[in-house]
């Protein structure tokens, strides 16, 4: 088996290839179009079983997209997984080359799932939704600063910047709406999600952009991807409390806001929440269960090709 690890940095790509669990080869490429082309050409000749990269805040996207488009089996994994794997295998030193070798070993031993590359439209839509989130965060920060502005000059500058951010937010919202309107698939998905009381357009657009597996993965898989799946913490006779962690933070935050709204305005979700609290569940635990329910419901609606109705009964979360 031939497995590949690629450590991605802003300026370069460190490659490690493992041949038959023993021999390995390393090499460095520039992280630009020429370097990616050279890397793609080499890996096409090698024909690896799996190529693993870490999610590095966006630097991995050009190379992972190029390799996937070339038909190569690419898996982009959470850096936390590979760090834990490195510690578990006694690899405590860290350099770019060592990290690439760890990723190649991770590819061989763990065999992470290879997912299809997102389309150019999906990438662009995801970038727009992420940009809206960034602009909203900047706007909130400036609004907080406005309240403590020490002088009129600073206040005036903040107000001017807030006006600019408002304009950019409006333009970004327009582009998101245009993207949804021009895609029958996204338009259908948004209408389905927004038919659930408590789910607004802005909330629905987050999983549409950043959880494209929503229409394909089963409910257990999708809950793990969103970070709302209860995970066991048992050892021997000890039975620890199940807890949720990991997953895609932006999706989890959107689900949290939707669940807060749904426990007020969605009768089924409110009854489900009250039932859990009456059974002694902590309110936070009950709210996470509602978040999970808001993922399960769209899966069933998509499968049936229907919209929400007040009598709808989803599978238990």
């Amino acid at each position: 088996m031939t497995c590949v690890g690629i450590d991605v940095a802003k300026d370069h790509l460190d490659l490690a290839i493992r041949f038959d669990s023993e021999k390995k080869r390393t090499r460095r490429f520039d992280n630009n179009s020429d370097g990616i082309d050279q890397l793609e050409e080499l890996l096409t000749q090698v024909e690896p079983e799996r190529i693993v990269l870490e999610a590095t805040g966006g630097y991995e996207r050009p190379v992972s997209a190029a390799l996937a488009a070339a038909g190569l089996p690419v898996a982009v994994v959470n850096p936390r997984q590979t760090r834990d794997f490195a510690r578990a295998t006694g690899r405590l030193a860290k350099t770019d080359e060592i990290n690439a070798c760890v990723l190649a070993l991770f590819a061989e031993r763990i065999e992470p799932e290879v997912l299809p590359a997102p389309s150019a439209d999906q990438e662009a839509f995801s970038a727009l939704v992420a940009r809206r989130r960034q602009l909203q965060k900047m706007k909130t920060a400036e609004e907080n600063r406005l309240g403590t502005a020490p002088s009129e000059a600073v206040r005036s500058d903040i107000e001017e910047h807030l006006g600019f951010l408002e304009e950019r937010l409006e333009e970004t919202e327009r582009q998101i709406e245009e993207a949804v309107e021009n895609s029958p698939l996204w338009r259908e998905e948004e209408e389905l999600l927004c038919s659930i009381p408590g789910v607004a357009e802005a909330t629905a657009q987050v999983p549409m952009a950043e959880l494209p597996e929503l229409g394909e993965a089963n409910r257990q898989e999708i809950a793990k991807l969103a970070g709302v799946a209860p995970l066991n913490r048992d050892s021997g006779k000890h039975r620890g409390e199940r807890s949720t962690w990991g997953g895609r933070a932006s999706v989890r935050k959107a689900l949290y806001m939707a669940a807060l709204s749904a426990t007020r305005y969605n009768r089924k979700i409110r009854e489900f929440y009250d039932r859990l609290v009456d059974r002694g569940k902590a309110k936070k635990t009950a709210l996470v269960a509602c978040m999970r329910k808001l993922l399960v419901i769209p899966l069933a609606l998509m499968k049936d090709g229907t919209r929400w109705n007040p009598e709808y009964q989803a599978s238990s979360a």
Side-chain angles (χ1 to χ4, degrees), residues 4-81:
V4 171
I6 302 175
D7 182 76
V8 181
K10 180 179 179 180
D11 297 321
H12 55 258
L13 307 166
D14 281 276
L15 169 72
I17 306 175
R18 286 180 62 86
F19 299 97
D20 302 322
S21 300
E22 296 180 359
K23 297 179 292 182
K24 66 181 180 182
R25 179 169 45 154
T26 61
R27 184 174 168 185
R28 173 170 285 188
F29 297 86
D30 291 333
N31 191 359
N32 55 33
S33 57
D34 290 339
I36 291 173
D37 288 344
Q38 294 169 21
L39 176 63
E40 178 188 325
E41 182 179 354
L42 173 61
L43 293 180
T44 301
Q45 295 172 0
V46 171
E47 297 183 347
E49 294 288 329
R50 188 172 275 100
I51 302 168
V52 167
L53 305 86
E54 291 176 324
T56 55
Y59 289 129
E60 82 287 351
R61 288 175 186 162
V63 62
S64 62
L67 297 179
L72 293 165
V74 179
V76 179
V77 301
N78 189 320
R80 180 187 293 175
Q81 290 179 280

Side-chain angles (χ1 to χ4, degrees), residues 12-302:
H12 55 258
L13 307 166
D14 281 276
L15 169 72
I17 306 175
R18 286 180 62 86
F19 299 97
D20 302 322
S21 300
E22 296 180 359
K23 297 179 292 182
K24 66 181 180 182
R25 179 169 45 154
T26 61
R27 184 174 168 185
R28 173 170 285 188
F29 297 86
D30 291 333
N31 191 359
N32 55 33
S33 57
D34 290 339
I36 291 173
D37 288 344
Q38 294 169 21
L39 176 63
E40 178 188 325
E41 182 179 354
L42 173 61
L43 293 180
T44 301
Q45 295 172 0
V46 171
E47 297 183 347
E49 294 288 329
R50 188 172 275 100
I51 302 168
V52 167
L53 305 86
E54 291 176 324
T56 55
Y59 289 129
E60 82 287 351
R61 288 175 186 162
V63 62
S64 62
L67 297 179
L72 293 165
V74 179
V76 179
V77 301
N78 189 320
R80 180 187 293 175
Q81 290 179 280
T82 55
R83 284 197 300 270
D84 291 344
F85 176 79
R87 294 190 191 101
T89 54
R91 290 162 172 79
L92 303 181
K94 181 171 171 55
T95 66
D96 294 338
E97 182 177 322
I98 290 174
N99 199 41
C101 292
V102 169
L103 293 175
L105 183 63
F106 183 89
E108 179 187 287
R109 302 284 175 82
I110 306 301
E111 299 182 357
E113 184 180 3
V114 174
L115 298 174
S119 67
D121 287 344
Q122 182 71 41
E123 284 274 13
F125 185 58
S126 179
L128 282 172
V129 172
R131 185 56 182 163
R132 176 176 63 188
R133 184 166 57 250
Q134 293 163 358
L135 288 167
Q136 289 169 335
K137 187 174 181 180
M138 286 188 283
K139 180 172 176 284
T140 299
E142 286 291 67
E143 287 172 341
N144 291 337
R145 294 185 188 104
L146 186 63
T148 57
S151 68
E152 186 59 36
V154 172
R155 174 179 290 274
S156 177
D157 186 70
I158 293 174
E159 289 175 342
E160 183 177 346
H161 190 211
L162 279 170
F164 170 78
L165 291 175
E166 286 282 5
E167 290 177 3
R168 298 318 307 155
L169 261 173
E170 290 177 6
E171 175 60 20
T172 303
E173 289 282 8
R174 186 194 66 76
Q175 292 176 351
I176 291 172
E177 291 174 4
E178 184 178 288
V180 173
E181 187 62 31
N182 291 337
S183 169
L185 180 62
W186 286 338
R187 190 164 62 247
E188 174 77 9
E189 189 173 346
E190 184 181 83
E191 290 174 359
L192 183 149
L193 290 170
C194 291
S195 73
I196 303 170
V199 179
E201 286 184 0
T203 302
Q205 288 158 1
V206 175
M208 287 166 57
E210 301 179 17
L211 197 64
E213 301 90 346
L214 185 59
E216 301 174 3
N218 61 41
R219 65 192 185 96
Q220 290 85 5
E221 292 169 340
I222 211 70
K224 286 182 181 179
L225 288 171
V228 293
L231 303 176
N232 294 341
R233 291 180 178 271
D234 302 336
S235 179
K237 294 182 179 180
H238 173 72
R239 295 294 178 265
E241 289 187 10
R242 295 197 298 174
S243 60
T244 59
W245 60 275
R248 299 174 191 174
S250 56
V251 176
R252 192 166 59 251
K253 183 177 179 180
L255 285 172
Y256 175 77
M257 299 306 296
L260 283 178
S261 177
T263 53
R264 295 183 61 188
Y265 302 111
N266 185 316
R267 179 169 60 86
K268 289 294 181 182
I269 297 295
R270 184 173 65 250
E271 290 173 354
F272 176 65
Y273 174 84
D274 290 341
R275 192 161 61 248
L276 291 176
V277 173
D278 290 343
R279 283 164 43 190
K281 297 291 185 182
K283 291 183 176 181
K284 182 178 179 181
T285 300
L287 192 63
V288 172
C290 292
M291 293 163 63
R292 193 160 57 249
K293 181 75 79 174
L294 288 173
L295 278 178
V296 173
I297 291 172
L299 288 176
L301 294 179
M302 288 176 181

